[in-house]
Amino acid sequence: MKHWDAREQEYIFDHGWRIDYDNGEMLVLTQKQFDENQYTGRSIRDESVRTLMIPSIHGCCLIFEGKHFRIEG
């Protein structure tokens, strides 16, 4: 379960994304929001898993689709 720190939450909400508190605090964004983000990629261990880099209180944080975020629509 991910608990988003204050800097992560600020970034998430500034980009119009949302946190699904009923599903382990999973970050939820649309395909368009994902596509428009500059800091996206693929996992080096599994090319089918998309990644997203967001700022945190400790610096850059790499999060993974299916574990930390999901894309709707």
Side-chain angles (χ1 to χ4, degrees):
M1 181 184 310
K2 176 73 174 157
H3 296 286
W4 305 103
D5 68 37
R7 181 63 186 107
E8 291 168 330
Q9 288 183 37
E10 178 183 12
Y11 188 84
I12 289 165
F13 298 138
D14 281 352
H15 283 79
W17 307 343
R18 69 181 179 86
I19 298 172
D20 184 355
Y21 293 101
D22 295 330
N23 189 19
E25 294 193 19
M26 180 81 66
L27 175 60
V28 181
L29 55 155
T30 66
Q31 183 66 54
K32 182 179 179 190
Q33 290 169 327
F34 181 84
D35 292 341
E36 290 176 347
N37 194 284
Q38 180 178 4
Y39 304 106
T40 63
R42 298 273 176 181
S43 169
I44 61 172
R45 297 189 187 270
D46 182 352
E47 287 279 326
S48 69
V49 176
R50 293 180 276 195
T51 61
L52 183 59
M53 190 178 303
I54 63 173
S56 76
I57 60 173
H58 302 290
C60 294
C61 181
L62 185 64
I63 60 175
F64 296 86
E65 181 181 22
K67 183 172 185 175
H68 305 109
F69 72 92
R70 73 174 182 266
I71 298 172
E72 294 182 341

